[in-house]
């Protein structure tokens, strides 16, 4: 891919203005993103690397980058042109009004998962209890669910497990940077882990995308996000839910609750799996886009 740094460095100094750079880089990114996305992504890079937001740029339209700054921006756009997600390029993302480190060892948190955290937090707070809630997050990845709940629910003790030590290293750094305590444990839910603690809430956003759905997914997901955290075999799409529900049957306190993020095509099947394993009031909940995205069930 032809880098444009040499092009810009050969131009007059005023053409290295951020205004001009935004226009040219956004035009490059239009090859893989729609124009609105391209403009947003370039603005994210500029704010992340140089601290300029839209207001400061509007007030100072002729701000320029020096050659070192231009090289940094050029390198970032070059990575984006390979379909690398913007979150991995800058190494962070926002979730529940907090900053989280992300890299290729963890999934990039989605807005739907923020909805799940919000529902759990609201449900716990509505109980107006001063008791300590023990919460388990299964398949924590970046730790976004566990850390956000620990931050929002100060009377909670949060445990989180994941099969990947690399993911847990990211999660531990995120807990530290966000000022919360979470007990992170290397464990595989498919191997029926033995945890001595019992829980009031078990939450999980496990792999739920069927292999057959790959053909509809964008390259920035397929080529960069960890496949083991995304995909399940078409012949057993509920494998993680089945194991988690069995685990929950032995490790939830009376009236404990399981919360799941689910494949929109298997919402009712997941709820029925809960009912068949002794969980009452299993309900499918739609996300903000009207898709069957969550399941809640009480032991």
């Amino acid at each position: 891919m032809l880098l444009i740094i040499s092009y810009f460095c050969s131009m007059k100094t005023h053409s290295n203005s951020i205004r001009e750079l935004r226009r040219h880089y956004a035009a490059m990114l239009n090859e893989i993103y729609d124009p609105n996305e391209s403009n947003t992504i370039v603005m994210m890079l500029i704010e992340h690397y140089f601290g300029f937001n839209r207001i400061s740029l509007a007030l100072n339209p002729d701000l320029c980058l020096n050659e070192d700054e231009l090289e940094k921006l050029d390198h970032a756009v070059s990575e984006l042109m390979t379909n690398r997600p913007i979150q991995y390029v800058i190494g962070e993302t926002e979730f529940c009004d907090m900053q989280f480190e992300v890299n290729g060892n963890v999934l990039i948190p989605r807005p739907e998962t923020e909805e799940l955290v919000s529902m759990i937090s609201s449900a716990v707070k509505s109980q107006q209890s001063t008791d300590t809630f023990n919460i388990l997050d299964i398949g924590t990845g970046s730790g976004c669910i566990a850390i956000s709940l620990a931050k929002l629910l100060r009377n909670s003790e949060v445990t989180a497990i994941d099969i990947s030590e690399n993911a847990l290293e990211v999660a531990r750094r995120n807990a530290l940077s966000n000022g919360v305590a979470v007990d992170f444990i290397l464990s595989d839910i498919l191997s029926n882990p033995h945890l001595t603690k019992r829980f009031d809430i078990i939450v999980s956003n496990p792999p739920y995308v069927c292999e057959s759905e790959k053909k509809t997914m964008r390259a920035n997901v397929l080529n960069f996000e960890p496949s083991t955290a995304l995909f399940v075999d078409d012949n057993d799409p509920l494998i993680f839910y089945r194991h988690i529900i069995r685990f929950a049957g032995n490790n939830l306190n009376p009236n404990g609750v399981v919360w799941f993020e689910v494949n929109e095509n298997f919402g009712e099947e997941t709820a029925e799996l809960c009912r068949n394993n002794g969980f009452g009031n299993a309900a499918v909940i739609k996300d903000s886009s009207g898709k069957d995205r969550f399941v809640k069930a009480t032991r």
Side-chain angles (χ1 to χ4, degrees), residues 144-160:
C144 62
I145 293 176
I147 292 166
S148 298
L149 290 174
K151 192 88 167 181
L152 293 167
L153 303 172
R154 289 299 186 176
N155 62 330
S156 63
E157 292 184 0
V158 183
T159 303

Side-chain angles (χ1 to χ4, degrees), residues 206-224:
Y208 63 64
V209 181
C210 291
E211 290 281 347
S212 60
E213 296 179 82
K214 284 184 176 180
K215 59 181 178 292
T216 66
M217 300 178 72
R218 292 173 63 163
N220 60 344
V221 176
L222 282 177
N223 296 342
F224 292 95

Side-chain angles (χ1 to χ4, degrees), residues 4-5 8 20-30 38 42 70 73-75 77:
I4 64 174
I5 183 169
F8 277 116
E20 191 71 19
L21 292 168
R22 285 175 63 188
R23 184 179 300 117
H24 283 276
Y25 281 118
M28 288 182 65
L29 291 174
N30 284 344
S38 297
V42 173
L70 179 57
L73 185 59
D74 186 74
H75 177 72
V77 174

Side-chain angles (χ1 to χ4, degrees), residues 74-117:
D74 186 74
H75 177 72
V77 174
S78 297
E79 286 196 90
L80 289 167
M81 291 299 292
T82 69
N83 283 296
R84 187 175 180 83
I86 176 66
Q87 295 89 345
Y88 288 163
V89 171
I90 65 177
E92 64 181 26
T93 192
E94 186 175 292
F95 183 88
C96 291
D97 297 322
M98 290 177 274
Q99 290 300 120
F100 284 83
E101 174 190 341
V102 290
N103 59 34
N105 295 305
V106 300
L107 291 181
I108 299 166
R110 267 57 172 187
E112 296 85 357
T113 310
E114 286 188 288
E115 294 182 51
L116 176 61
V117 168

Side-chain angles (χ1 to χ4, degrees), residues 150-180:
K151 192 88 167 181
L152 293 167
L153 303 172
R154 289 299 186 176
N155 62 330
S156 63
E157 292 184 0
V158 183
T159 303
I161 67 172
D162 201 283
I163 194 174
S164 167
E165 181 58 43
N166 289 333
L168 290 176
E169 289 177 2
V170 174
R172 291 186 186 104
R173 290 194 293 270
N174 282 327
L176 183 63
S177 65
N178 283 291
V180 298

